[in-house]
Amino acid sequence: MAIKRLPKQQPETQMMKPLKRFRLEDDEEQQPPNAATTMADRLSTLPEDLQLRILSSLDTKHAFQTSLLSKAWSSKWTHLPVLNFDSYSFHKKVGDFDKFVYRALSVPRSAQLVRINFIRRDAVCSAKMLKKVFDYAFKQRVEELDVSIKETRKETGWPMIMSHTSCDSLKSMKLQSYTYIACSYLGPRSGSFKNLASLHLRKAIITDLDPFSGFPALKKLKLVFCQLQTDDNTLNVHAPHLSELTISYYEVYSDHLANLRCNVATLNLKYFEFRGSEFPRFEITRGRPVIDTVIIEYSGYCKIPQHKKLFDDLMIFFNVLRHVKSLTVYSSVVQILSSFPDELANPRLPFRDLKSLKVDLSFFYRQKLFEGNCISLSEALRHVSHVKGYLLQKSPDAKYTMIDPYAPLKARPRCSNSDECTCGMYNTKFKID
């Protein structure tokens, strides 16, 4: 019987070298011999804009593999308006992932690039890699940039913006990290982002006294697990066009314990969401905008001597938000209010214009707020009726909704931080999406 000689296999690093020869053997083994031809025939019959839309929804690694289908598809991936880089698609081989990203961002493009999604979930992300992604995004004048990393090397932050670099095209930027990371874009020097309307920061270190003044077009701001490092524990949000503000699970880095002070200068704030272990001293320093929607959740643990202070902080918080139209409070807020029944008889509540009140008990079984024994569900439901009467005493015609712990999962409201929250609404582990 004749023995067939097998061709000598090249090392994987050599296969990655030329981008045009990039292949994944495991993908080829899973496909039948004529699968590539069949796929090319089906995709080729679609309109080009639909082809590009489909390919833009794929990881860029898979979109690039379509260049092997035929000559007509050899450069199709360079026309994509969206590039998606995810290290998980390389089965945690971060070295191969980095090489692919470098080479993919070195290929000349044939069409306008609108968005870049870059996710590096494994190991430390080098400053060189981050600079490559950011420089390419700004050079291509993308409108949306979404970067999620595990961590950077010590004392390495998000890349600096060079003075000659134009970022006018950027309208949305989302920067997420598993560890705290410095952000050089904040402060008046961030004036390069003249058209940035949406900014999402996770685990960012904020040291500037006026971090958002350099974003004149900012409308949506979301701060999740961010750390404030200022002498007076004050977060200043000076953005004249800001309409949506979310602050979740902040941390104050200071030698003295004090509540976060949050000064917001805007006349257009319509949506405010707060989740944290202390209620901030919230101030609106430019007029009194009528806020349509407010969502409040307490996620801390309070010892007995601090019960009254926590209650007073909540009442001060309520007073600043007295013109709200729609209010959502979670079971933690209900427990804080019900701890002082005598105070609920006081008619000083500021809410007079409420159109909607929602009490969400969906996290009830996952929260232990106070030192001592936990309350039962039946006790919590009794408290709800008192809290409802208190909150609606000046707005008796407001629509009232309650979501209990037994509500089906689909009926529960989606947490706005579900891609990076620890609230446990979906009983899932922490992740970056």
Side-chain angles (χ1 to χ4, degrees):
M1 181 176 66
I3 299 177
K4 184 178 181 181
R5 185 181 296 275
L6 296 176
K8 184 178 179 180
Q9 293 188 358
Q10 298 178 348
E12 190 172 3
T13 54
Q14 294 181 8
M15 295 176 64
M16 288 288 297
K17 216 164 188 179
L19 184 63
K20 65 180 182 179
R21 295 178 57 191
F22 177 75
R23 289 174 172 81
L24 284 181
E25 295 180 359
D26 57 343
D27 289 346
E28 291 179 351
E29 291 174 358
Q30 294 173 6
Q31 294 183 359
N34 297 325
T37 304
T38 304
M39 182 185 300
D41 291 342
R42 290 180 178 177
L43 291 176
S44 299
T45 60
L46 299 175
E48 185 177 9
D49 59 339
L50 185 54
Q51 294 174 6
L52 297 178
R53 186 183 305 177
I54 293 174
L55 295 181
S56 294
S57 66
L58 302 177
D59 188 282
T60 301
K61 180 196 74 172
H62 302 303
F64 166 73
Q65 288 177 316
T66 62
S67 64
L68 308 176
L69 298 177
S70 66
K71 286 186 177 181
W73 285 79
S74 60
S75 61
K76 182 77 69 175
W77 74 279
T78 64
H79 292 75
L80 298 182
V82 180
L83 294 180
N84 302 300
F85 299 104
D86 191 339
S87 60
Y88 269 20
S89 63
F90 283 77
H91 309 292
K92 300 186 178 181
K93 296 178 181 179
V94 293
D96 291 348
F97 171 72
D98 289 349
K99 292 176 183 177
F100 177 75
V101 173
Y102 275 118
R103 292 185 172 91
L105 297 184
S106 300
V107 176
R109 288 193 54 80
S110 304
Q112 175 65 36
L113 183 62
V114 177
R115 180 183 178 94
I116 292 181
N117 298 316
F118 177 85
I119 304 177
R120 196 177 189 278
R121 311 170 193 250
D122 307 288
V124 177
C125 187
S126 67
K128 182 180 178 182
M129 170 59 75
L130 287 177
K131 187 176 185 303
K132 180 69 173 179
V133 174
F134 279 69
D135 286 351
Y136 186 82
F138 298 142
K139 181 180 179 181
Q140 295 294 327
R141 300 186 61 80
V142 300
E143 296 181 4
E144 301 176 40
L145 178 62
D146 187 340
V147 180
S148 298
I149 61 174
K150 182 179 180 181
E151 59 181 323
T152 61
R153 300 190 186 280
K154 188 177 181 180
E155 298 181 355
T156 300
W158 297 109
M160 292 286 292
I161 295 295
M162 306 306 293
S163 58
H164 63 274
T165 302
S166 175
C167 311
D168 292 351
S169 62
L170 200 63
K171 297 179 180 179
S172 174
M173 183 162 64
K174 186 175 183 179
L175 307 178
Q176 300 185 93
S177 172
Y178 274 108
T179 57
Y180 287 109
I181 181 172
C183 189
S184 62
Y185 303 151
L186 303 182
R189 58 186 174 277
S190 60
S192 299
F193 301 94
K194 296 179 180 179
N195 297 309
L196 189 73
S198 177
L199 178 63
H200 180 147
L201 299 176
R202 185 191 180 281
K203 288 275 187 172
I205 298 175
I206 300 174
T207 58
D208 201 280
L209 295 177
D210 198 4
F212 308 107
S213 60
F215 304 96
L218 191 63
K219 295 181 179 180
K220 297 180 181 179
L221 176 62
K222 189 171 185 178
L223 306 175
V224 181
F225 290 107
C226 290
Q227 186 181 86
L228 185 66
Q229 295 186 8
T230 58
D231 294 336
D232 58 354
N233 294 346
T234 301
L235 175 67
N236 293 304
V237 183
H238 296 160
H241 300 290
L242 188 70
S243 59
E244 296 184 19
L245 174 61
T246 299
I247 301 176
S248 298
Y249 316 110
Y250 69 91
E251 178 179 335
V252 176
Y253 187 83
S254 175
D255 295 333
H256 60 281
L257 297 177
N259 290 64
L260 168 73
R261 300 186 67 87
C262 182
N263 294 326
V264 179
T266 180
L267 291 172
N268 299 293
L269 191 63
K270 299 298 181 183
Y271 176 93
F272 176 59
E273 180 176 344
F274 175 80
R275 302 172 189 269
S277 57
E278 284 185 337
F279 297 110
R281 293 288 192 266
F282 189 73
E283 299 178 9
I284 301 177
T285 57
R286 183 179 294 179
R288 290 290 178 183
V290 178
I291 305 177
D292 291 334
T293 304
V294 170
I295 299 174
I296 303 175
E297 181 192 7
Y298 175 76
S299 59
Y301 177 76
C302 183
K303 295 185 177 181
I304 293 177
Q306 299 296 319
H307 281 194
K308 188 60 169 65
K309 178 181 180 302
L310 184 64
F311 177 85
D312 292 339
D313 289 342
L314 176 59
M315 299 309 297
I316 295 173
F317 198 36
F318 276 163
N319 185 62
V320 178
L321 303 170
R322 59 182 177 272
H323 298 296
V324 64
K325 294 181 179 180
S326 175
L327 176 65
T328 298
V329 296
Y330 285 81
S331 57
S332 54
V333 177
V334 172
Q335 292 185 51
I336 294 171
L337 291 174
S338 61
S339 298
F340 297 91
D342 294 340
E343 295 285 347
L344 298 187
N346 191 329
R348 65 176 181 173
L349 184 79
F351 297 121
R352 297 177 180 272
D353 304 316
L354 273 181
K355 304 298 182 184
S356 172
L357 172 65
K358 180 182 292 184
V359 176
D360 192 334
L361 302 181
S362 57
F363 300 163
F364 176 76
Y365 290 119
R366 301 179 178 92
Q367 293 177 324
K368 182 176 180 180
L369 304 177
F370 305 117
E371 192 176 24
N373 297 328
C374 297
I375 66 173
S376 64
L377 178 59
S378 59
E379 290 177 297
L381 293 175
R382 286 198 300 271
H383 294 329
V384 168
S385 61
H386 295 298
V387 171
K388 171 193 171 185
Y390 176 63
L391 296 176
L392 294 181
Q393 60 180 306
K394 300 295 183 180
S395 304
D397 297 328
K399 179 182 178 181
Y400 172 71
T401 306
M402 186 187 76
I403 300 177
D404 62 66
Y406 299 119
L409 196 60
K410 292 182 179 180
R412 298 180 183 180
R414 180 174 177 81
C415 173
S416 66
N417 299 314
S418 58
D419 34 338
E420 62 271 303
C421 82
T422 56
C423 63
M425 176 180 285
Y426 298 101
N427 199 24
T428 57
K429 297 181 179 179
F430 169 82
K431 64 179 181 179
I432 289 182
D433 185 24

